[in-house]
């Protein structure tokens, strides 16, 4: 096929050359060819030029393709999605959020069938086209399809690379359990891989953020292949960023030996506000933020001491908080400067948390724990794929090489021969 020949015209030529082609396969391949042409046309519009075309409107160039298997009424079709050298591309006709919408639909319908839905949920079901109701078998089929994919995603192996950075966060959802509505802790782990890409590593649902709960969750990540750092091989989890929950901190120490811990600076600022009030905390937090404006490890530590000393007279309670949290708030300092802004707080996963809450707010009260896993697991899987398909890395190759050298420099005993393969 020449580069100017469309997938559909190629198929037409094959059918004319061999009229005995399987009838069903022709329809499937016709759909596949048509979809492929539409995808290529959308990519051309985004790039501003066709393949091999010279054009002043061109904004970027193609960089190969990635496969996409799409289930259709005519059968599964194999598509090739163009990758770009700069930016990312996902065809609008494939609806990247479809799995999440399907999961949300299933949860709402399940609540409606079980008779525990609110008037708002009933209205949502009708708005989705179910004025006369939906059968239990239909909901079971939808849930089964989603559950299988989500289970595979949440239990996949994660030993394909090492993850120097781990972010842990929790939120609370209302779930119906044993005839009453209870608050359940949903914990999520995201990581940055050795290649500088973000991934969703796992999630779990429990009654509360206890030490046992966090320990069990982190142990499940270890069991699935999360690599810990050792003196002999420091290429494991180097830093965990989270809030200052005592149970979480204890679990990190027990299950992830060799990793540092970074107390989220945003959460610490909120703790300061809770301690002395909103009005008084503004200038104090502004002063504390100067610690994070420094550009070298030595400057960070020196400014930390200067800020603590300056607050000792007027805000002794805040000075005491800073003294007790110095090692935790400066866990980022030994790492490459390019990484500081993205590892000293949980802000990088705030967008993910907002998407979780947006979907959960529609449901309001989940009918059971399985429905939480179904919907939130689908949300996480979609986000994971979006990060994986995006062309932009979270950290550059150069900064990741700096991190490797930094970790080896701090490891004991040193292994200089590993620099050759980093």
């Amino acid at each position: 096929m020449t580069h100017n020949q469309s997938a559909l015209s190629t198929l037409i030529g094959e059918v004319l050359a061999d009229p005995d082609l399987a009838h069903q396969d022709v329809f499937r391949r016709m759909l596949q060819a048509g979809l492929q042409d539409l995808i290529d046309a959308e990519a051309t519009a985004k790039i501003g030029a066709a393949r091999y075309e010279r054009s002043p409107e061109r904004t970027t160039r193609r960089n190969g393709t990635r496969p996409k298997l799409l289930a259709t009424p005519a059968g599964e079709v194999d598509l090739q999605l163009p990758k770009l050298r700069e930016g990312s591309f996902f065809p609008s006709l494939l609806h990247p959020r479809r799995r999440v919408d399907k999961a949300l639909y299933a949860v709402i319908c399940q609540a409606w069938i079980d008779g525990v839905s609110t008037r708002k949920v009933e209205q949502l079901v009708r708005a989705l086209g179910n004025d006369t109701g939906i059968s239990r078998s239909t909901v079971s089929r939808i849930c089964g399809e989603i559950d299988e994919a989500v289970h595979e995603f949440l239990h996949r192996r994660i030993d394909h690379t090492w993850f120097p950075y781990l972010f842990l966060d929790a939120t609370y959802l209302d779930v119906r359990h044993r005839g009453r509505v209870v608050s359940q802790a949903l914990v999520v782990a995201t990581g940055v891989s050795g290649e500088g890409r973000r991934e969703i590593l796992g999630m779990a649902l429990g009654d509360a953020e206890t030490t046992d709960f966090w320990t069990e969750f982190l142990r499940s990540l270890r069991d699935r292949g999360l690599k810990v750092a050792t003196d002999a091989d420091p290429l494991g989890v180097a830093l965990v960023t989270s809030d200052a929950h005592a149970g979480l901190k204890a679990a990190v120490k027990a299950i992830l030996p060799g990793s540092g811990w970074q107390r989220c600076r945003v959460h610490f600022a909120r703790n300061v506000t809770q301690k002395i009030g909103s009005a008084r905390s503004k200038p104090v937090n502004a002063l504390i933020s100067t610690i994070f404006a420094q550009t070298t490890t030595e400057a960070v530590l020196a400014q930390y001491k200067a800020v603590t000393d300056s607050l000792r007279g007027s805000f002794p309670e805040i000075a005491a908080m800073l003294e007790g949290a110095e090692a935790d708030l400066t866990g980022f300092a030994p790492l490459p400067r390019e990484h500081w802004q993205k590892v000293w707080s949980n802000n990088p996963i705030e967008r993910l948390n907002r998407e979780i809450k947006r979907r959960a707010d529609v449901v309001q009260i989940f009918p059971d724990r399985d429905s939480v896993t179904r919907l939130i697991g689908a949300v996480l899987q979609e986000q994971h794929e979006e990060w994986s398909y995006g062309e932009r890395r979270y950290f550059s190759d150069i900064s990741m090489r700096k991190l490797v050298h930094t970790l080896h420099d701090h490891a004991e005993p040193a292994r200089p021969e590993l620099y050759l393969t980093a």
Side-chain angles (χ1 to χ4, degrees), residues 2 33 39 58 61 103 142 162 172 178 182 216 243 280 284 344 349 355 364 367 375 397:
T2 66
I39 290 170
R58 179 185 290 276
R61 294 184 179 277
I142 294 172
W162 64 291
Y172 282 81
R178 295 177 180 176
V182 297
E216 182 180 356
D243 62 16
R280 300 174 71 206
V284 173
W344 62 30
I349 61 175
E355 180 66 10
Q364 294 186 343
L375 177 58
D397 285 337

Short mmCIF file of all heavy atoms in Angstrom, two decimals, residues 2 33 39 58 61 103 142 162 172 178 182 216 243 280 284 344 349 355 364 367 375 397:
data_model
loop_
_atom_site.label_atom_id
_atom_site.label_comp_id
_atom_site.label_asym_id
_atom_site.label_seq_id
_atom_site.Cartn_x
_atom_site.Cartn_y
_atom_site.Cartn_z
N THR A 2 0.66 2.16 -0.91
CA THR A 2 1.40 3.41 -0.91
C THR A 2 0.90 4.29 0.21
O THR A 2 -0.19 4.09 0.74
CB THR A 2 1.21 4.14 -2.26
OG1 THR A 2 -0.14 4.54 -2.37
CG2 THR A 2 1.58 3.24 -3.42
N ALA A 33 -11.36 -0.60 8.38
CA ALA A 33 -10.74 0.31 7.43
C ALA A 33 -11.32 1.72 7.53
O ALA A 33 -10.60 2.72 7.47
CB ALA A 33 -10.90 -0.24 6.01
N ILE A 39 -9.44 7.95 11.82
CA ILE A 39 -8.38 8.23 12.80
C ILE A 39 -7.23 8.96 12.12
O ILE A 39 -6.70 9.96 12.63
CB ILE A 39 -7.90 6.93 13.46
CG1 ILE A 39 -8.99 6.37 14.38
CG2 ILE A 39 -6.59 7.14 14.23
CD1 ILE A 39 -8.72 4.97 14.88
N ARG A 58 2.08 22.80 9.63
CA ARG A 58 2.48 21.63 10.42
C ARG A 58 2.92 22.06 11.82
O ARG A 58 3.71 22.99 11.98
CB ARG A 58 3.61 20.88 9.72
CG ARG A 58 4.10 19.65 10.50
CD ARG A 58 5.30 19.02 9.83
NE ARG A 58 4.95 18.37 8.58
CZ ARG A 58 4.48 17.13 8.49
NH1 ARG A 58 4.29 16.42 9.61
NH2 ARG A 58 4.19 16.62 7.32
N ARG A 61 5.23 16.15 14.18
CA ARG A 61 5.40 15.05 13.23
C ARG A 61 4.95 13.74 13.85
O ARG A 61 4.93 13.59 15.06
CB ARG A 61 6.86 14.94 12.77
CG ARG A 61 7.32 16.15 11.98
CD ARG A 61 8.74 16.00 11.46
NE ARG A 61 9.13 17.16 10.69
CZ ARG A 61 8.84 17.33 9.41
NH1 ARG A 61 8.15 16.40 8.76
NH2 ARG A 61 9.21 18.42 8.77
N ALA A 103 -19.00 2.17 33.79
CA ALA A 103 -18.94 1.76 35.19
C ALA A 103 -19.90 2.60 36.04
O ALA A 103 -20.60 2.08 36.91
CB ALA A 103 -17.51 1.90 35.71
N ILE A 142 -23.13 -6.15 32.52
CA ILE A 142 -22.29 -4.95 32.44
C ILE A 142 -21.23 -4.98 33.55
O ILE A 142 -20.05 -4.73 33.30
CB ILE A 142 -23.15 -3.68 32.56
CG1 ILE A 142 -24.08 -3.55 31.35
CG2 ILE A 142 -22.27 -2.43 32.67
CD1 ILE A 142 -25.09 -2.43 31.47
N TRP A 162 11.50 -0.01 37.96
CA TRP A 162 11.58 0.41 39.35
C TRP A 162 10.89 1.76 39.49
O TRP A 162 10.79 2.53 38.55
CB TRP A 162 13.03 0.48 39.82
CG TRP A 162 13.88 1.51 39.11
CD1 TRP A 162 14.29 1.46 37.81
CD2 TRP A 162 14.44 2.71 39.66
NE1 TRP A 162 15.06 2.57 37.50
CE2 TRP A 162 15.18 3.35 38.62
CE3 TRP A 162 14.40 3.31 40.91
CZ2 TRP A 162 15.85 4.55 38.81
CZ3 TRP A 162 15.08 4.51 41.10
CH2 TRP A 162 15.79 5.11 40.06
N TYR A 172 -12.39 9.68 51.56
CA TYR A 172 -13.45 8.90 52.21
C TYR A 172 -14.72 8.94 51.37
O TYR A 172 -15.11 10.00 50.86
CB TYR A 172 -13.71 9.41 53.63
CG TYR A 172 -12.65 8.94 54.60
CD1 TYR A 172 -11.43 9.60 54.70
CD2 TYR A 172 -12.85 7.82 55.40
CE1 TYR A 172 -10.44 9.16 55.58
CE2 TYR A 172 -11.88 7.37 56.29
CZ TYR A 172 -10.69 8.04 56.36
OH TYR A 172 -9.70 7.59 57.23
N ARG A 178 -24.24 -3.59 55.36
CA ARG A 178 -25.08 -4.23 56.37
C ARG A 178 -26.26 -3.35 56.78
O ARG A 178 -26.57 -3.19 57.97
CB ARG A 178 -24.25 -4.60 57.60
CG ARG A 178 -23.19 -5.66 57.32
CD ARG A 178 -22.35 -5.94 58.53
NE ARG A 178 -21.33 -6.96 58.24
CZ ARG A 178 -20.40 -7.34 59.11
NH1 ARG A 178 -20.36 -6.80 60.33
NH2 ARG A 178 -19.51 -8.26 58.77
N VAL A 182 -21.91 3.77 55.85
CA VAL A 182 -20.68 3.96 56.61
C VAL A 182 -19.65 4.67 55.74
O VAL A 182 -19.70 4.61 54.51
CB VAL A 182 -20.11 2.61 57.10
CG1 VAL A 182 -21.08 1.94 58.06
CG2 VAL A 182 -19.80 1.69 55.93
N GLU A 216 -1.05 -3.60 55.14
CA GLU A 216 -1.56 -4.60 54.21
C GLU A 216 -1.54 -4.09 52.77
O GLU A 216 -1.18 -4.83 51.84
CB GLU A 216 -2.99 -4.99 54.60
CG GLU A 216 -3.60 -6.06 53.72
CD GLU A 216 -5.02 -6.43 54.14
OE1 GLU A 216 -5.50 -5.89 55.17
OE2 GLU A 216 -5.65 -7.24 53.44
N ASP A 243 0.62 12.58 53.45
CA ASP A 243 0.37 13.42 54.61
C ASP A 243 0.99 12.73 55.84
O ASP A 243 1.60 11.68 55.74
CB ASP A 243 -1.12 13.69 54.80
CG ASP A 243 -1.92 12.41 55.06
OD1 ASP A 243 -1.31 11.38 55.39
OD2 ASP A 243 -3.16 12.46 54.95
N ARG A 280 -3.85 34.60 61.05
CA ARG A 280 -2.48 34.61 61.57
C ARG A 280 -1.55 33.68 60.79
O ARG A 280 -0.33 33.88 60.78
CB ARG A 280 -2.48 34.20 63.05
CG ARG A 280 -3.31 35.11 63.94
CD ARG A 280 -3.37 34.56 65.36
NE ARG A 280 -2.11 34.67 66.06
CZ ARG A 280 -1.73 33.87 67.06
NH1 ARG A 280 -2.52 32.88 67.43
NH2 ARG A 280 -0.57 34.05 67.65
N VAL A 284 2.77 33.48 58.32
CA VAL A 284 3.63 32.39 58.78
C VAL A 284 3.89 31.39 57.65
O VAL A 284 5.03 31.00 57.40
CB VAL A 284 2.99 31.67 59.99
CG1 VAL A 284 3.80 30.43 60.36
CG2 VAL A 284 2.89 32.62 61.17
N TRP A 344 7.60 17.24 46.53
CA TRP A 344 7.50 17.74 47.91
C TRP A 344 6.05 17.91 48.37
O TRP A 344 5.79 18.40 49.47
CB TRP A 344 8.29 19.02 48.11
CG TRP A 344 7.88 20.22 47.30
CD1 TRP A 344 6.64 20.56 46.84
CD2 TRP A 344 8.75 21.29 46.88
NE1 TRP A 344 6.66 21.74 46.16
CE2 TRP A 344 7.94 22.23 46.17
CE3 TRP A 344 10.10 21.56 47.04
CZ2 TRP A 344 8.48 23.38 45.63
CZ3 TRP A 344 10.63 22.72 46.49
CH2 TRP A 344 9.82 23.62 45.80
N ILE A 349 -1.21 14.53 42.33
CA ILE A 349 -2.35 13.62 42.16
C ILE A 349 -3.67 14.29 42.55
O ILE A 349 -4.69 13.62 42.66
CB ILE A 349 -2.16 12.32 42.97
CG1 ILE A 349 -2.04 12.59 44.46
CG2 ILE A 349 -0.96 11.56 42.49
CD1 ILE A 349 -1.99 11.31 45.28
N GLU A 355 -11.09 13.89 40.00
CA GLU A 355 -11.87 13.04 39.11
C GLU A 355 -12.57 11.94 39.89
O GLU A 355 -13.73 11.60 39.62
CB GLU A 355 -10.94 12.43 38.04
CG GLU A 355 -11.64 11.51 37.04
CD GLU A 355 -12.63 12.21 36.15
OE1 GLU A 355 -12.67 13.47 36.15
OE2 GLU A 355 -13.40 11.51 35.45
N GLN A 364 -23.12 9.40 45.08
CA GLN A 364 -23.42 9.86 46.44
C GLN A 364 -23.21 8.73 47.46
O GLN A 364 -22.33 8.82 48.31
CB GLN A 364 -24.83 10.44 46.54
CG GLN A 364 -25.01 11.72 45.76
CD GLN A 364 -26.36 12.36 45.99
OE1 GLN A 364 -27.30 11.74 46.48
NE2 GLN A 364 -26.47 13.62 45.63
N PRO A 367 -23.77 1.48 46.61
CA PRO A 367 -24.61 0.40 47.14
C PRO A 367 -23.85 -0.69 47.87
O PRO A 367 -24.41 -1.38 48.71
CB PRO A 367 -25.29 -0.15 45.88
CG PRO A 367 -24.44 0.27 44.74
CD PRO A 367 -23.84 1.58 45.14
N LEU A 375 -16.22 1.25 40.00
CA LEU A 375 -16.21 2.60 39.43
C LEU A 375 -14.86 3.27 39.58
O LEU A 375 -14.28 3.76 38.61
CB LEU A 375 -17.29 3.46 40.10
CG LEU A 375 -17.34 4.92 39.64
CD1 LEU A 375 -17.54 5.03 38.14
CD2 LEU A 375 -18.43 5.69 40.37
N ASP A 397 14.72 12.31 30.66
CA ASP A 397 15.78 11.29 30.75
C ASP A 397 16.99 11.84 31.48
O ASP A 397 17.62 11.14 32.29
CB ASP A 397 16.19 10.84 29.35
CG ASP A 397 15.15 9.92 28.72
OD1 ASP A 397 14.38 9.30 29.48
OD2 ASP A 397 15.12 9.83 27.48
#
